[in-house]
Amino acid sequence: MLRVLLADDQDLVRAGFRVILGMENDIEVVGEAGDGLTAVELSQRLRPDVVLMDVQMPGIDGLEATRRVLGSGNTRVVILTTFDREDYLFEALRAGASGFLLKNASPEDLVEAVRIVARGDALLSPEVTRRVIARFSAQAPPPPVHRPPELTDREFEVLVKLARGASNAEIARELYLGETTVKTHVSRVLTKLGLRDRTHAVVFAYEKGIVAPGVGREED
């Protein structure tokens, strides 16, 4: 069973999410929080697999609550909001969230988001990827860095392509590898660099100057 904690200051919203998720045989809602501090406390006590976290809540907001939740365990966080705002998106990514979902998403999207994040993948849609790249395009490019010494040449190639938004299937095709091999390389990249998931690999690569928008920088 996937254990989920709901964090939202609106009772009706939590009730709706509970009904939607409760219809799934593999998902269990283990707790609810109406403010950020309670979300952190329940997460530490209940150890859910996934927290669905609202942004605007009393006490501490969902972004600060996300930082605290992720700093004390292996729980993953999906940020839920009614506001399609880029500042929320980037703050959520920097806080360590594994996904970002608008509250007007369909019930099917909500359920799929829980499953995607719980299995260790990131909820990074093509639209979100484009926004991440556009944000870095608007900034002065950081100085290029040498490739992380922890990575092999092949792992570095995978990181570059991953950061430019390629799927596992696309990476496999471009590097003439099997998809299972690519998944293994991606897992090793994340482990060696201490990254939570693919989302944060993208942010890492752009912030470190490993890739620039439209260009892969490969340093010796």
Side-chain angles (χ1 to χ4, degrees), residues 10-161:
Q10 298 183 44
D11 294 343
L12 285 176
V13 171
R14 296 199 310 274
F17 289 161
R18 177 181 281 277
V19 169
I20 292 170
L21 297 176
M23 296 175 66
E24 305 300 318
N25 294 329
D26 60 335
I27 298 176
E28 177 187 9
V29 176
V30 296
E32 298 183 21
D35 60 79
L37 284 175
T38 302
V40 174
E41 294 169 359
L42 288 179
S43 178
Q44 292 172 344
R45 178 160 57 87
L46 300 174
R47 301 295 181 184
D49 298 300
V50 177
V51 178
L52 297 178
M53 184 83 74
D54 188 22
V55 173
Q56 294 187 334
M57 290 189 292
I60 60 172
D61 65 21
L63 299 176
E64 177 59 27
T66 295
R67 295 185 187 94
R68 298 188 189 186
V69 166
L70 297 178
S72 61
N74 296 320
T75 297
R76 295 177 179 272
V77 175
V78 174
I79 295 291
L80 290 163
T81 181
T82 56
F83 305 99
D84 187 10
R85 288 174 45 177
E86 287 195 359
D87 54 344
Y88 286 161
L89 165 62
F90 287 97
E91 282 302 309
L93 294 178
R94 293 182 190 280
S98 295
F100 185 91
L101 195 66
L102 294 178
K103 289 184 181 178
N104 62 4
S106 69
E108 293 78 12
D109 287 341
L110 177 66
V111 172
E112 185 63 13
V114 169
R115 291 179 176 144
I116 287 172
V117 171
R119 67 174 178 250
D121 292 330
L123 189 66
L124 190 62
S125 67
E127 172 63 21
V128 172
T129 301
R130 286 193 292 272
R131 291 190 185 194
V132 171
I133 294 174
R135 169 63 67 92
F136 283 106
S137 297
Q139 299 174 350
V145 298
H146 294 291
R147 73 181 64 187
E150 304 95 330
L151 303 184
T152 66
D153 290 347
R154 180 63 83 189
E155 289 164 354
F156 184 76
E157 287 182 302
V158 169
L159 172 61
V160 169
K161 294 189 179 298

